[in-house]
Amino acid sequence: MSLIEVRALTKTYRQAVRQPGLRGAFRHLVHQRYTERVAVDHIDMSIERGETVAYVGPNGAGKSTTIKMLTGILVPTSGEITVDGIVPHKRRMENARRIGVVFGQRTQLWWDIPVIETLSLLRDIHEMPAQEYRKNLDFLTELLGLDEFMHLTARRISLGQRMRADLAAAFLHSPAIVYLDEPTIGLDIAVKERIRGFIKQVNRELGTTVMLTTHDLGDIQDLCRRIVIIDHGRIIFDGALAEMTDAFARERVLHFQLRTPCPTAEQELQRIPNVTVSGLSDTELSVRFDRAFISARDITGAIMQIADVSDFRIDEPSIDHVIKRVYDGTLNLAVRKGGGA
Amino acid sequence: MRLILRAWRRNAYLYRRIMGQNLRAALEYQSDFLLSVGSAMLTQVLGLVFLGVVFSRIPTINGWGFWQIVFIYASIFLTEGFASLFFEGTWRIGYFVNHGELDRILLRPLSPAVQLLSSAIGMNGIGNLLVGGVMIGESLTHVHMVWTPGKILFSVILLLSGIVIRTSINFASNCSAFWVKNAGNAVPFMVHSISEFAKYPLTIYAPALQALVGIVVPYAFIGYVPAGYVFSTSGMAWIAVLCPLVALYCAAVAGLILRTGLRQYESTGN
Amino acid sequence: MKAKYLSLASRSMQNSLAYRVSFIVNMSASVFYILAMFFLWRAIYAHRTSLAGYSWNDMKAYLLVSFLSSTMLSWYSESRMSSRILDGSVAMELLKPIDFQAARLAETAGTTVFEGGVSAVLVTIVLIVYAGVMTPHSPAAWIAFILSFAVSVLIKFGVVYISSLFCFWTSSGFGVAWARAAITNLLSGALIPLAFFPPWLRATAYFLPFQGIVNAPASIYLGQATGAAVWGTLLVQVFWCVVLWFLGRFVWRFAVRKVTIFGG
Ligand SMILES: Nc1ncnc2c1ncn2[C@@H]1O[C@H](COP(=O)(O)OP(=O)(O)OP(=O)(O)O)[C@@H](O)[C@H]1O
Ligand SMILES: [Mg+2]
């Protein structure tokens, strides 16, 4: 059995409908009306020990809701979850011992207590042996640079420092699994990289399983081999990151720089099927093509015969591009559902 | 049994640890600390002045003398003092629920009740404890009575029951935030102000109010009923046996409400 | 020039309408308090007809006035004033071409219109259902009472405003508000008519502004002050109202230096 098993997991929120105005308020008092909002809709997923999984999707897709169910904060409306053999919401405290969680938008730290005291409190809450605590604390202090703000209260530290402190709090008790919900939100590039490096190292050295939601595609490319895309509460892709780019990022763009103007080149190339050409100037051409139908070699070959090419480069589609098109609905990934890694 | 005992010991230890940190944080704001303690004391002393002024003109109210009513009055404040100093966190439940901060509590392997109770410290409670304690002490010395070891022991049990009743009612009423989902949830304040009735002997009220304070929201078991026992008021002493039971009942109801609330806690969208 | 204050007042009234449920529930605290007092006094008067010159009927009317006064300028207005200072938004206020004190008065007035409306309804119900409560003897006394009551709210504003300014020196508003409430309740006569006080305390209370909040309107309502005494009472109230206003300005000038010089 996998470390995390999710079967037909569903969460429906009840949202109160309130008519505006005084009359609406009174009517609500007498007769409450609700609409059901399905935030997570029958999702299935298995995650193995030591994996790093990116869990992505547009705003409101149901990512945070899923994480809250996996961590035991929310009780699912239906479906099953087991995490390391435990049903999180039924045995929440037991589950809490084995997991670490960061919600990027909100701190888990005590607001009025110095960071170091928070960590020491957490040690007691997790009943860690002194030696393990020392070791982990040193490790975290070094990797996350906690020294500079350790003695300040959470109230006084900056966003980037807070996020690092939150990560330390989440990893302190050597959890088997960490859930990171937007751990790099609002951070500058240097802090982002430091955090990514940290997560990678912990995953590599301690075999910690990581599930990460983010809107920063850099995070995904940097950290995760597997990607799960959710939209409107349903999983629309689940597979290896490379597989996704291979399968769906077939579009390439070739940019040519010509030594002398060549007015016929554009028309010549246009004749090749599945290719769109745009001329930027007399000496610049861009060729957009689908890798499944024609290769870059064929196109370069064709243009070399009619024009004097001085330079060229090829644009690979970035992963954001692919995901954006998935979100937009212009790229349909339904066929890939349930791929697994 | 061993396990349960161990869990309680751990809860108590962690509660003390967290409260210690709260205390240190609170002491940083020294002027606030003094002011809130001072104003709590002032409020109480002025309440006492009120009773004194009334009793300077009449000997008894429904058979209760000045010091006996002071005892009831002070019990309400003394338990309030305990509740704010040690369990001020009850008043933050609404905040935790409405802002999704409860998430954080649910992610730690420590009982949510312990974490909620220890989430704040109310330094003003010291003022209530001081004045309430002195008032009770004074009232006991001014009324002639016979103390036996058994009576002393049971009086301590009555005090502890009072603290549990008060805290449980606060806790339960604040848990209404799980269902009343607007920021200014007034239910806890309303329930709290019902304790206004418990400052005086129950017999002065109309039956409906007696039922409210004696049964529905049993504040009467904090001051009035113990006073009946301590001062051996005829026909009331045996009712005090109920106090510990009422305390257990209140605590159980509060726990049940919390559990029910947690099951349908929906966090927040962001 | 006055338009901006009017608009502040009307916005604050709309706000209190939006929070009407919590408003009315908060008012329940005053209701419970006054009910407890009612039964306490009823028990006291069970064996006597008069105490300190008050009959049971007088006392009921007194409680009604005291209740009315406690519902005006409630916790909501007070905490709104102090939180402006505590959360630092007072600095933003300084940037606006508005007088801080007048703006707070306008806001308070807006809320008080709503509070006054609700308590007027409550009091009318009490007077109809519980016919035993006496009312002022003549239309003239009614008018004098309403005038005096209106001024009493202004006095209460003055006291609350000045005490809120002390929040410049603290980081939480509770202590200040509690101390303020405790002192006001005793010395205004809200807890117990001043006539019950020992002579020295009574004399002190009469020389302080607080008595203008409950004692003054109550004495007019009960017909204890008649003829010239009514005018005297009103005049004293207005006097305190003005004094408190300027005292407020004076304290403000000290307090605001905390922001402008020390950065809050
Ligand atoms: N506490 C709640 N009560 C009611 N509805 C909620 C609640 N939390 C989330 N929702 C709804 O459920 C849906 C999924 O929300 P969720 O927070 O899981 O999205 P998300 O994928 O994390 O989005 P984002 O990227 O914006 O964080 C949204 O439509 C949201 O409106
Ligand atoms: Mg989210």
Side-chain angles (χ1 to χ4, degrees):
Chain A
M1 196 155 109
S2 310
L3 184 64
I4 300 177
E5 287 275 2
V6 173
R7 291 289 158 258
L9 182 65
T10 303
K11 179 73 193 179
T12 310
Y13 289 111
R14 239 161 50 120
Q15 293 172 333
V17 188
R18 237 170 272 184
Q19 275 97 20
L22 198 63
R23 252 184 78 197
F26 275 118
R27 199 179 295 166
H28 183 75
L29 216 59
V30 182
H31 176 71
Q32 313 218 324
R33 285 210 303 142
Y34 293 92
T35 51
E36 308 253 287
R37 162 145 206 131
V38 184
V40 171
D41 193 0
H42 293 87
I43 65 171
D44 297 302
M45 186 175 0
S46 317
I47 294 175
E48 304 297 332
R49 218 170 274 279
E51 269 195 288
T52 43
V53 180
Y55 192 48
V56 300
N59 287 130
K63 303 180 296 290
S64 300
T65 304
T66 312
I67 302 256
K68 284 175 189 168
M69 286 190 285
L70 289 174
T71 51
I73 294 174
L74 291 180
V75 180
T77 310
S78 66
E80 283 157 33
I81 309 174
T82 50
V83 176
D84 204 2
I86 288 180
V87 179
H89 69 270
K90 290 207 176 124
R91 289 157 72 188
R92 200 170 27 73
M93 290 220 260
E94 208 170 322
N95 185 53
R97 284 177 207 282
R98 308 180 194 176
I99 63 169
V101 186
V102 173
F103 284 111
Q105 302 97 322
R106 193 176 303 131
T107 182
Q108 321 271 326
L109 309 169
W110 277 272
W111 207 234
D112 281 317
I113 298 182
V115 172
I116 180 69
E117 294 292 346
T118 294
L119 295 176
S120 136
L121 260 180
L122 285 172
R123 171 191 73 175
D124 285 348
I125 289 179
H126 284 282
E127 298 175 278
M128 296 173 67
Q131 202 185 355
E132 187 192 347
Y133 173 69
R134 256 299 21 112
K135 197 182 100 217
N136 286 5
L137 187 63
D138 290 344
F139 175 73
L140 294 166
T141 306
E142 193 199 317
L143 273 187
L144 291 167
L146 302 181
D147 292 323
E148 42 172 305
F149 53 86
M150 213 170 215
H151 296 286
L152 297 177
T153 58
R155 188 189 289 285
R156 301 211 173 106
I157 59 183
S158 79
L159 181 67
Q161 295 172 334
R162 202 214 75 200
M163 210 73 94
R164 283 185 273 160
D166 257 314
L167 280 164
F171 282 89
L172 183 70
H173 51 288
S174 339
I177 310 168
V178 287
Y179 304 94
L180 307 172
D181 192 350
E182 307 194 29
T184 55
I185 189 170
L187 303 184
D188 74 36
I189 189 70
V191 176
K192 261 185 198 169
E193 270 169 9
R194 178 165 210 158
I195 287 180
R196 286 176 194 162
F198 166 76
I199 296 171
K200 251 195 290 199
Q201 186 164 348
V202 172
N203 171 256
R204 193 159 6 101
E205 289 182 8
L206 306 174
T208 309
T209 310
V210 178
M211 183 166 180
L212 169 96
T213 84
T214 183
H215 291 288
D216 186 323
L217 299 151
D219 290 348
I220 305 174
Q221 262 163 330
D222 228 16
L223 293 173
C224 304
R225 228 165 294 147
R226 173 169 165 202
I227 182 166
V228 178
I229 305 182
I230 180 174
D231 193 11
H232 295 297
R234 294 182 194 192
I235 290 182
I236 54 175
F237 178 85
D238 181 349
L241 187 61
E243 189 187 341
M244 182 181 86
T245 29
D246 280 356
F248 303 106
R250 301 189 308 205
E251 202 176 82
R252 297 279 189 278
V253 184
L254 268 168
H255 301 278
F256 294 103
Q257 183 81 47
L258 308 183
R259 197 158 288 147
T260 52
C262 177
T264 54
E266 196 168 333
Q267 290 137 34
E268 275 309 309
L269 287 171
Q270 207 72 274
R271 277 204 216 115
I272 311 173
N274 299 311
V275 157
T276 34
V277 188
S278 49
L280 296 174
S281 69
D282 290 356
T283 56
E284 280 171 310
L285 275 182
S286 293
V287 184
R288 184 181 295 272
F289 64 99
D290 186 330
R291 212 171 48 138
F293 296 105
I294 187 165
S295 72
R297 211 187 72 180
D298 294 345
I299 295 175
T300 345
I303 199 165
M304 294 286 203
Q305 286 179 358
I306 43 179
D308 187 3
V309 176
S310 65
D311 194 10
F312 73 92
R313 93 192 131 81
I314 186 160
D315 271 357
E316 296 227 4
S318 65
I319 168 165
D320 354 351
H321 195 76
V322 180
I323 292 181
K324 180 170 173 295
R325 288 189 53 196
V326 175
Y327 292 173
D328 291 348
T330 48
L331 187 61
N332 190 356
L333 287 181
V335 277
R336 301 294 309 168
K337 183 176 171 181
Chain B
M1 194 62 208
R2 277 277 271 310
L3 270 172
I4 295 176
L5 214 67
R6 206 183 95 75
W8 274 89
R9 279 239 302 279
R10 174 168 175 264
N11 282 345
Y13 168 70
L14 288 170
Y15 170 83
R16 277 208 311 275
R17 276 278 271 132
I18 300 173
M19 286 306 272
Q21 292 292 347
N22 288 342
L23 181 66
R24 277 167 59 176
L27 288 178
E28 267 186 43
Y29 303 99
Q30 200 186 29
S31 64
D32 278 22
F33 162 64
L34 293 176
L35 187 71
S36 65
V37 172
S39 61
M41 290 173 71
L42 189 66
T43 309
Q44 278 210 59
V45 170
L46 294 186
L48 195 66
V49 169
F50 164 70
L51 285 181
V53 167
V54 171
F55 274 92
S56 69
R57 289 171 190 270
I58 56 168
T60 57
I61 296 175
N62 275 21
W64 293 78
F66 174 65
W67 287 109
Q68 293 173 325
I69 290 191
V70 166
F71 178 90
I72 301 177
Y73 197 92
S75 301
I76 292 297
F77 274 112
L78 187 73
T79 53
E80 173 79 356
F82 274 107
S84 8
L85 185 58
F86 298 109
F87 308 114
E88 180 73 6
T90 48
W91 292 95
R92 297 188 51 184
I93 295 175
Y95 170 81
F96 277 104
V97 172
N98 285 316
H99 292 78
E101 294 284 332
L102 199 62
D103 292 8
R104 158 162 67 113
I105 279 176
L106 294 176
L107 291 173
R108 296 187 192 128
L110 173 61
S111 141
V114 171
Q115 291 188 65
L116 287 171
L117 286 173
S118 64
S119 64
I121 188 165
M123 300 304 276
N124 57 297
I126 294 178
N128 282 331
L129 282 179
L130 278 176
V131 181
V134 170
M135 277 159 79
I136 286 188
E138 281 292 299
S139 68
L140 293 179
T141 55
H142 278 82
V143 179
H144 175 73
M145 64 186 104
V146 188
W147 287 101
T148 60
K151 187 165 182 176
I152 293 173
L153 180 69
F154 194 62
S155 300
V156 171
I157 292 178
L158 289 181
L159 174 65
L160 293 178
S161 306
I163 296 167
V164 172
I165 293 172
R166 165 76 78 171
T167 307
S168 303
I169 293 175
N170 284 349
F171 197 97
S173 64
N174 275 286
C175 278
S176 62
F178 282 109
W179 293 272
V180 183
K181 282 185 186 143
N182 54 30
N185 176 15
V187 173
F189 293 103
M190 197 161 151
V191 173
H192 187 258
S193 48
I194 291 176
S195 71
E196 203 59 54
F197 296 120
K199 289 183 189 165
Y200 310 107
L202 208 57
T203 49
I204 67 171
Y205 298 113
L209 282 178
Q210 291 187 11
L212 177 69
V213 188
I215 299 167
V216 183
V217 194
Y219 283 122
F221 290 88
I222 295 175
Y224 173 65
V225 174
Y229 169 78
V230 170
F231 300 116
S232 313
T233 311
S234 60
M236 268 190 63
W238 66 271
I239 304 179
V241 177
L242 290 176
C243 285
L245 299 178
V246 171
L248 287 180
Y249 167 76
C250 289
V253 169
L256 190 70
I257 294 180
L258 175 68
R259 279 172 72 128
T260 318
L262 283 180
R263 273 201 70 79
Q264 57 130 53
Y265 170 62
E266 291 210 318
S267 186
T268 50
N270 57 65
Chain C
M1 157 55 191
K2 291 286 173 293
K4 54 193 176 192
Y5 297 109
L6 265 181
S7 118
L8 262 177
S10 92
R11 206 175 49 196
S12 123
M13 189 168 86
Q14 284 166 18
N15 248 335
S16 38
L17 271 170
Y19 290 107
R20 63 204 164 271
V21 177
S22 34
F23 246 91
I24 293 169
V25 176
N26 275 333
M27 212 173 256
S28 70
S30 301
V31 173
F32 292 155
Y33 176 74
I34 216 69
L35 264 180
M37 291 312 257
F38 172 84
F39 283 105
L40 182 69
W41 285 112
R42 193 182 68 159
I44 292 171
Y45 276 102
H47 304 292
R48 45 189 70 77
T49 50
S50 166
L51 260 181
Y54 280 76
S55 70
W56 173 220
N57 270 336
D58 292 335
M59 191 51 83
K60 280 186 284 190
Y62 191 90
L63 289 176
L64 192 69
V65 176
S66 163
F67 167 71
L68 251 183
S69 161
S70 70
T71 58
M72 308 299 276
L73 209 166
S74 63
W75 182 246
Y76 180 78
S77 297
E78 183 159 11
S79 62
R80 182 173 48 191
M81 269 187 248
S82 47
S83 66
R84 269 235 161 63
I85 295 167
L86 292 167
D87 68 15
S89 58
V90 62
M92 304 309 283
E93 294 280 320
L94 293 178
L95 299 176
K96 294 179 193 158
I98 289 184
D99 178 61
F100 187 78
Q101 192 173 9
R104 302 292 78 79
L105 179 63
E107 274 177 356
T108 306
T111 312
T112 311
V113 168
F114 174 78
E115 292 171 332
V118 174
S119 25
V121 171
L122 278 178
V123 167
T124 314
I125 293 172
V126 171
L127 289 178
I128 292 170
V129 173
Y130 199 83
V133 179
M134 71 185 228
T135 50
H137 298 299
S138 62
W142 261 116
I143 292 170
F145 165 69
I146 290 169
L147 269 178
S148 162
F149 189 71
V151 182
S152 82
V153 176
L154 288 176
I155 297 177
K156 193 167 175 184
F157 170 80
V159 172
V160 169
Y161 176 75
I162 292 170
S163 78
S164 316
L165 291 182
F166 284 101
C167 290
F168 274 107
W169 289 277
T170 65
S171 70
S172 147
F174 288 108
V176 174
W178 283 330
R180 202 274 309 146
I183 293 170
T184 317
N185 281 343
L186 184 75
L187 295 176
S188 66
L191 278 176
I192 190 168
L194 299 186
F196 282 72
F197 284 178
W200 63 269
L201 189 57
R202 192 183 328 155
T204 317
Y206 270 110
F207 274 106
L208 290 170
F210 306 102
Q211 66 85 22
I213 298 174
V214 177
N215 179 59
S219 68
I220 295 177
Y221 187 98
L222 291 168
Q224 292 164 338
T226 49
V230 172
W231 288 108
T233 307
L234 277 171
L235 223 65
V236 171
Q237 279 187 291
V238 172
F239 166 78
W240 278 119
C241 188
V242 174
V243 168
L244 286 172
W245 180 266
F246 286 103
L247 191 62
R249 286 217 170 307
F250 180 72
V251 178
W252 165 256
R253 260 201 286 167
F254 263 101
V256 82
R257 286 208 298 225
K258 270 286 276 181
V259 179
T260 50
I261 298 177
F262 301 108

